[in-house]
Amino acid sequence: MLIFQSAFLYPSIPVKLTFISLKTVRYSDTQSILSAYSLEHGRVSLVVPSGKGKGASRLRALTMPLSVLECETDFRPGREVLPMRQARPVEVFNGIHANPVKQMIAMFLAESLSMLLRESVPDEGVYTFIHSSVKWLDSIPAECSANFHVCFLLNLGRLLGIEPDVSTFRHGYVMDMRDGIWRSSMPLHGEWLASDESSAASMILRMTYSNMSRFRFTRQQRNRTLDLVLRYYSLHLAPLSHLHSLDILRSIS
């Protein structure tokens, strides 16, 4: 009776959903749950078929990490999982799918976003940034993509409101990772960078997609930079220390 009343009070509304695929988790022998970030409703969960059939295989291909799709669904306030009908790609990113390094970067970023974008509130700026970033990754030469994941996370931080205040930087200062500022002396807590890394951080925060290839890192330097970016996110938004794709990304970046 309560279910009937809930359905009566909050009827389903047919809507079109435009979304970026993040992560798929097997739910049963016949169904999986796709986590996605949509333009219209923010974070959403969608039911997709799983198994060995043609339909399931097609959807697995369509919903690879950071794929941009649209579908029809029935939206109801409070509904946690939405049905997905007539899924179709908004764009096809052959440059990512054809390159294993770009595929791994996409997988890592999608897993990171699935942890960071847990709220269901839509944000057109965040959606547009992710979409345009995927297009950029798809279009650039593979040899220019080594710093892409670092650049992506640095610029995403600005949109999520956790960008460090670079205006506080001075030579010889240390970066306070908790407060996102540079200080003349060490803070009382342990989340700070020594002056040499603090100076490097002020430069790295100027990285954009246009200039990222000019930052010449060794693998060790790039991994250290990524570790610090993930630590900063973990302090301010959500823990990112146990990403499944991180070790694989380290080995190829």
Side-chain angles (χ1 to χ4, degrees):
M1 184 64 172
L2 291 176
I3 296 174
F4 174 79
Q5 288 178 344
S6 176
F8 180 77
L9 292 172
Y10 303 103
S12 296
I13 304 171
V15 296
K16 185 176 80 171
L17 207 61
T18 306
F19 63 90
I20 297 166
S21 175
L22 298 180
K23 186 178 181 180
T24 302
V25 177
R26 190 71 170 264
Y27 178 71
S28 69
D29 292 340
T30 59
Q31 292 181 329
S32 295
I33 305 297
L34 170 67
S35 297
Y37 191 73
S38 71
L39 176 62
E40 297 85 359
H41 297 287
R43 177 70 174 260
V44 295
S45 297
L46 299 159
V47 178
V48 296
S50 60
K52 300 180 180 179
K54 290 183 179 180
S57 297
R58 174 180 175 274
L59 277 177
R60 277 196 296 272
L62 284 178
T63 57
M64 291 178 65
L66 297 189
S67 297
V68 181
L69 308 169
E70 63 181 14
C71 74
E72 295 179 6
T73 188
D74 296 321
F75 181 78
R76 180 186 299 157
R79 193 178 201 173
E80 294 185 359
V81 182
L82 304 175
M84 184 170 67
R85 299 189 301 273
Q86 299 182 12
R88 48 201 172 273
V90 173
E91 295 182 64
V92 178
F93 300 116
N94 291 323
I96 295 176
H97 301 328
N99 185 274
V101 175
K102 289 185 178 183
Q103 283 183 16
M104 195 60 242
I105 291 173
M107 186 178 299
F108 167 76
L109 293 178
E111 187 181 5
S112 300
L113 289 168
S114 72
M115 301 295 294
L116 295 171
L117 302 178
R118 290 188 175 276
E119 298 297 326
S120 61
V121 178
D123 187 318
E124 184 176 356
V126 171
Y127 180 90
T128 300
F129 168 74
I130 300 172
H131 188 173
S132 61
S133 295
V134 178
K135 292 173 66 174
W136 191 283
L137 177 61
D138 184 70
S139 66
I140 60 176
E143 61 269 19
C144 297
S145 65
N147 293 332
F148 184 89
H149 53 295
V150 173
C151 188
F152 178 96
L153 291 173
L154 291 174
N155 286 276
L156 177 67
R158 297 187 178 101
L159 294 172
L160 299 182
I162 63 168
E163 178 185 12
D165 184 1
V166 183
S167 68
T168 61
F169 168 75
R170 302 290 186 276
H171 288 290
Y173 277 27
V174 298
M175 182 183 176
D176 184 331
M177 294 276 280
R178 284 190 179 177
D179 289 343
I181 60 174
W182 280 256
R183 298 185 181 278
S184 59
S185 60
M186 296 177 295
L188 295 178
H189 57 77
E191 300 293 349
W192 54 274
L193 303 181
S195 59
D196 55 343
E197 287 195 325
S198 295
S199 180
S202 71
M203 296 295 296
I204 292 169
L205 283 163
R206 297 185 173 91
M207 187 185 296
T208 66
Y209 292 144
S210 298
N211 67 19
M212 64 182 180
S213 61
R214 299 177 189 172
F215 288 78
R216 306 291 185 178
F217 296 125
T218 64
R219 176 176 292 183
Q220 182 178 8
Q221 290 171 333
R222 185 177 296 107
N223 286 334
R224 172 60 176 168
T225 300
L226 179 59
D227 284 341
L228 292 177
V229 173
L230 294 178
R231 181 58 187 160
Y232 189 81
Y233 267 99
S234 297
L235 288 170
H236 292 270
L237 283 181
L240 293 179
S241 56
H242 300 292
L243 299 171
H244 297 299
S245 55
L246 183 56
D247 288 340
I248 302 175
L249 181 68
R250 289 187 198 282
S251 68
I252 64 174
S253 65

